[in-house]
Amino acid sequence: MKIYTPSFEELNFCYELEKSFSSNSEDANEKGFFLPGASFKVYEDLHDTGYIKVLSQGSNLVGFVMVVPPKHQILSRLLINNESLIWFDSEQLYPNVDNCYWIAKIAVKAEFMRFGYAKALYEDVFENFDGLTALTATAVSPLRNHASENFHRALGLKACGLFLSGTKGELTNIVNILWRK
């Protein structure tokens, strides 16, 4: 197993893998899903300004993780003055974007699930951003992503809030659980 920064050409693998996880698929409850609306431009931007790692097993690309690093403009937009963000604990009402990062995407090909690859990707992120607060989200509406919720709980992340994301394709008013480590 090898975790590394992908070449620009390997970004397409990440984008296509994300698109393969649909909230409409029959196995979305067991395997998790991404909501529609991501663009390849976000991958390009975070390749240059963020943190994307792929995991390979032999010659196979297996999965990836995408992180919005501290101080990034996406993180500021998401966390600062976001009226749809409700924190469960009052100590974290206004997070310091200098000291936290956002795990925006993580995915592993279906045939490689349940072998610890997603956990390995998260552990790599935690190691690279040691001492900072990790934040991520899981959809709870219009369809609840139980696989993602269970995965984040198993990694020791704590639910710390809720937020409403805007329109994504045909979906509107998507409620998300906010997780923190």
Side-chain angles (χ1 to χ4, degrees):
M1 172 175 57
K2 180 179 175 187
I3 298 174
Y4 63 95
T5 302
S7 67
F8 190 76
E9 292 76 27
E10 289 171 319
L11 282 181
N12 195 52
F13 160 79
C14 302
Y15 182 64
E16 292 300 320
L17 181 57
E18 174 182 355
K19 289 190 328 184
S20 74
F21 285 88
S22 167
S23 59
N24 297 326
S25 67
E26 291 179 19
D27 56 3
N29 248 352
E30 294 81 38
K31 294 183 179 173
F33 58 86
F34 291 118
L35 294 169
S39 70
F40 190 71
K41 183 169 178 13
V42 172
Y43 284 81
E44 291 174 320
D45 174 52
L46 288 176
H47 185 267
D48 295 336
T49 64
Y51 174 97
I52 299 177
K53 297 283 184 162
V54 292
L55 184 145
S56 66
Q57 182 65 42
S59 62
N60 292 317
L61 288 177
V62 171
F64 76 96
V65 64
M66 178 189 303
V67 176
V68 179
K71 302 179 186 178
H72 195 281
Q73 63 183 359
I74 292 174
L75 192 62
S76 296
R77 266 194 326 264
L78 181 67
L79 297 176
I80 303 301
N81 298 321
N82 183 342
E83 294 176 4
S84 72
L85 190 70
I86 301 167
W87 294 93
F88 295 156
D89 56 357
S90 59
E91 72 183 50
Q92 192 67 37
L93 286 177
Y94 301 101
N96 182 344
V97 295
D98 295 346
N99 295 322
C100 64
Y101 58 97
W102 183 265
I103 302 171
K105 306 280 182 185
I106 186 164
V108 172
K109 289 166 82 174
E111 63 268 27
F112 291 98
M113 287 182 170
R114 307 218 192 296
F115 292 102
Y117 294 121
K119 181 180 179 189
L121 284 164
Y122 258 56
E123 287 173 348
D124 185 72
V125 170
F126 296 152
E127 184 177 304
N128 278 286
F129 292 97
D130 188 37
L132 301 177
T133 300
L135 297 170
T136 191
T138 298
V140 292
S141 77
L143 178 65
R144 195 159 190 166
N145 195 340
H146 295 284
S148 178
E149 287 181 63
N150 293 336
F151 173 72
H152 288 96
R153 275 191 202 98
L155 286 176
L157 278 75
K158 304 288 183 213
C160 63
L162 292 173
F163 73 96
L164 183 68
S165 55
T167 302
K168 305 255 186 189
E170 296 176 14
L171 302 174
T172 57
N173 299 330
I174 302 160
V175 179
N176 301 277
I177 296 174
L178 184 65
W179 299 92
R180 177 178 44 212
K181 177 171 177 56

